[in-house]
Amino acid sequence: MDLGIKGKKALICASSKGLGLGCARALAAEGVDLVMNARGVEALEASAAAIRDEFGVNVETVACDVSTADGQAALIAAAEGVDILVNNAGGPPPGMWTDWDRDDFIKALDANMLTPITLIKALVPAMMERGWGRVVNITSQSVKAPIPVLGLSNSARAGLTGYVAGTSRQVAGSGVTINNLLPGIHATDRAAALDAGVSKQQGISVDDAKVNRCKTIPAGRYGTAEEFGSTCAFLCSQHAGFIVGQNVLLDGGGVNSTM
Ligand code: NAD
């Protein structure tokens, strides 16, 4: 299927690795020019070079922390006129509900709620003026079913989800869609770090932690960044213009619910 977005331009935050990179690669495969971002220059430049070589699209890079005001200003300057925005940042650390103080919550809210909101506010008005735009926020399955050790993530992502629910309906009439993609467990560095945490906590090997986690997923495996990226590219396509304010779960059936 031709997604109809060849020649569009996209900003993909936190995209040198993992799910962000999966989205960048899937959009590049459709002929979309990219602005890619991550904190570390080396991995960012390597991923950008690989995409230029493989797909022949233009790729600009902005090495910065997307959760900081300076980082956001640099990204907004580089991304002026983008048609597509994919919001992403690293997730907050795990812990116990009694662990976190105000600063921990502010950090999580900054990275996983206020950063995407800042970028939406900066970049969506020009999309509305042009009558076309796509925003996809990478959130988490924790929006549908809380993950006890990820209370900071549960909280910050619920806040973003509420903002998107209202805002997406205010901009849809101008041809701009905003949706959220909710990853269940995917094989990335983040998943490896979560499995390492379980291994330490339960005194089992990392492999056993992964096998045990797979047993909780009806699909019996972790998702891949390629699958995730393809779904993101579809939500950014011409065909997805009637999908507004949705929370699309990619979790291999892990969240047990009827709807
Ligand atoms: P990852 O840790 O594998 O990749 C993170 C990428 O983001 C890297 O490119 C890193 O450089 C970049 N990055 C992280 N923080 C950044 C920041 N502040 N500024 C700029 N770049 C930054 O993560 P992932 O597995 O790809 O997950 C992406 C998002 O999805 C995270 O918020 C994560 O919590 C969430 N999520 C992931 C899973 C999973 O199983 N992988 C499940 C649920 C939710």
Side-chain angles (χ1 to χ4, degrees):
M1 185 194 291
D2 178 2
L3 298 188
I5 49 177
K6 190 176 167 51
K8 301 267 187 208
K9 184 173 170 183
L11 166 61
I12 297 116
C13 303
S15 54
S16 67
K17 296 178 188 169
L19 303 182
L21 177 58
C23 296
R25 287 181 53 81
L27 288 168
E30 294 299 320
V32 174
D33 294 324
L34 307 178
V35 179
M36 291 176 67
N37 150 256
R39 284 168 302 192
V41 178
E42 213 172 303
L44 177 62
E45 292 304 335
S47 295
I51 287 179
R52 284 186 203 105
D53 280 357
E54 192 172 343
F55 303 110
V57 295
N58 295 323
V59 183
E60 286 172 60
T61 55
V62 182
C64 67
D65 183 337
V66 69
S67 68
T68 64
D70 286 351
Q72 289 155 16
L75 281 170
I76 290 164
E80 205 189 336
V82 288
D83 309 285
I84 295 167
L85 164 64
V86 179
N87 275 313
N88 186 30
M96 274 290 288
W97 62 276
T98 45
D99 289 348
W100 305 304
D101 57 25
R102 187 172 192 281
D103 286 347
D104 298 313
F105 278 101
I106 296 296
K107 224 182 202 176
L109 291 172
D110 266 340
N112 299 114
M113 177 184 171
L114 299 175
T115 293
I117 291 174
T118 299
L119 295 178
I120 287 169
K121 284 174 62 189
L123 298 173
V124 164
M127 296 180 195
M128 293 170 75
E129 273 170 32
R130 291 193 302 273
W132 197 95
R134 299 283 184 263
V135 179
V136 173
N137 303 300
I138 300 179
T139 65
S140 171
Q141 73 174 25
S142 71
V143 170
K144 296 247 183 201
I147 301 170
V149 294
L150 293 178
L152 292 171
S153 172
N154 298 339
S155 308
R157 298 190 197 278
L160 175 64
T161 304
Y163 176 84
V164 166
T167 305
S168 60
R169 288 163 171 93
Q170 290 172 276
V171 304
S174 299
V176 179
T177 69
I178 311 180
N179 292 288
N180 302 317
L181 267 186
L182 284 54
I185 196 79
H186 281 69
T188 68
D189 289 355
R190 169 81 170 168
L194 291 175
D195 286 341
V198 171
S199 146
K200 201 170 157 197
Q201 192 192 18
Q202 298 182 4
I204 59 175
S205 71
V206 174
D207 280 351
D208 283 347
K210 190 171 174 186
V211 167
N212 292 346
R213 201 192 290 275
C214 282
K215 288 182 189 155
T216 69
I217 306 167
R221 64 176 178 86
Y222 287 14
T224 68
E226 290 75 20
E227 291 169 313
F228 191 88
S230 298
T231 310
C232 175
F234 179 76
L235 282 181
C236 295
S237 75
Q238 296 292 356
H239 311 294
F242 210 49
I243 303 177
V244 171
Q246 296 303 298
N247 291 284
V248 179
L249 190 58
L250 286 99
D251 71 339
V255 172
N256 190 32
S257 71
T258 304
M259 295 212 288

